[in-house]
Amino acid sequence: MNHNLFARLAAIVATLLSAQLRACGDQPQAEPDGLVKLSKTGDVWLDTKRKAVVVDGQVCLREGQLEMFACPKGTKEHESIVSLNCRAQEVHAGLLAAGAKPGSPVSFQPEYKPATGQIIDVYVLWKDAAGEKRQVRAQDWIKDTKTQKAMTYDWVFAGSGFWKDQETGQEYYRANDGDLICVSNFTTAMLDLPVASSQANDELMFEAFAQHVPPRGTKVRMVLIPRKADGERK
């Protein structure tokens, strides 16, 4: 990421933090001001001015190997750092409304092809034990097991997909079962890494960066921002 682009993203996130982050820590988050709610039951909003999606959740894991960074609450908390209070399809809809362009999920046959799609920058906002407002790039909470440093890869908007129940004819969004923001490659991923990252237990590339992650149960607010290409109007 070039310096100017990082500075613009940092300014957007700082504004979102000051305007939208309310009570975290031991208290539930207050509903963000000035955003459009995207779900009757989920805590997910669209910031139409800044073209970002805002989602509330909580830390569900501080130590251990990862296949996800974030999953819908009640799905894959045992291998995700954050569980979000919404369905994956609601975040997908928000990203589309924010102007993000989906690509395609990873494919393994007849040969490996990585996930594609617009880069989505993911930030996490919370209050620490002292009540201070904090913000990080989501990558800072993920440790690369080879380098022992924070993950450096970006996420792309792979877009998951739908499957139809042949008996009922009803369609289901595949990432609703957990594969919302992945660090292992899944054909069902909404956001995935555009590099080969195994889902085999003995080959997992990433783990929770325990020194960086606040205690389990900490309320967080996640901000997803579609990254604009250089030269594109902001």
Side-chain angles (χ1 to χ4, degrees):
M1 183 187 301
N2 67 49
H3 178 75
N4 290 337
L5 181 56
F6 182 82
R8 288 195 293 270
L9 287 170
I12 291 171
V13 174
T15 301
L16 282 165
L17 179 62
S18 61
Q20 311 308 341
L21 185 59
R22 294 294 186 259
C24 290
D26 293 332
Q27 300 298 323
Q29 299 98 315
E31 184 155 322
D33 296 330
L35 304 189
V36 177
K37 194 125 191 287
L38 296 174
S39 169
K40 292 182 179 179
T41 57
D43 297 329
V44 53
W45 299 265
L46 173 67
D47 187 321
T48 57
K49 181 178 180 180
R50 300 175 184 87
K51 303 299 183 183
V53 178
V54 179
V55 193
D56 281 352
Q58 45 281 315
V59 174
C60 59
L61 183 147
R62 291 190 68 246
E63 297 183 20
Q65 293 181 307
L66 302 174
E67 293 189 1
M68 318 293 157
F69 172 72
C71 66
K73 187 176 181 179
T75 59
K76 295 186 175 181
E77 283 94 333
H78 63 290
E79 51 198 4
S80 306
I81 294 176
V82 174
S83 63
L84 296 176
N85 306 332
C86 67
R87 295 179 296 170
Q89 69 185 56
E90 294 164 341
V91 180
H92 183 128
L95 288 171
L96 292 178
K101 305 299 183 185
S104 58
V106 64
S107 61
F108 298 102
Q109 298 295 333
E111 61 183 7
Y112 174 82
K113 292 184 179 179
T116 64
Q118 187 167 355
I119 293 174
I120 306 296
D121 288 294
V122 182
Y123 292 85
V124 187
L125 320 175
W126 79 102
K127 285 184 178 179
D128 63 21
E132 295 295 323
K133 296 175 181 179
R134 303 286 302 278
Q135 68 180 71
V136 296
R137 297 180 74 227
Q139 285 90 335
D140 291 341
W141 283 9
I142 302 167
K143 181 188 289 187
D144 186 315
T145 58
K146 291 184 179 179
T147 67
Q148 295 296 298
K149 297 180 179 180
M151 187 182 81
T152 58
Y153 302 111
D154 292 314
W155 281 287
V156 295
F157 186 17
S160 190
F162 289 86
W163 69 274
K164 180 181 288 188
D165 186 317
Q166 297 302 318
E167 293 185 0
T168 66
Q170 187 171 354
E171 289 191 331
Y172 296 90
Y173 186 65
R174 300 175 72 194
N176 282 344
D177 289 335
D179 303 340
L180 202 162
I181 303 180
C182 301
V183 296
S184 291
N185 298 148
F186 287 91
T187 59
T188 51
M190 191 200 78
L191 297 190
D192 203 351
L193 302 179
V195 295
S197 180
S198 177
Q199 54 186 271
N201 288 337
D202 58 349
E203 297 179 13
L204 295 177
M205 294 173 56
F206 303 103
E207 62 184 348
F209 213 139
Q211 298 93 320
H212 297 175
V213 181
R216 287 182 60 188
T218 298
K219 303 296 183 181
V220 301
R221 179 155 288 159
M222 189 175 296
V223 181
L224 296 90
I225 306 172
R227 188 187 297 181
K228 300 295 186 182
D230 285 345
E232 190 174 346
R233 291 186 64 183
K234 303 298 184 284

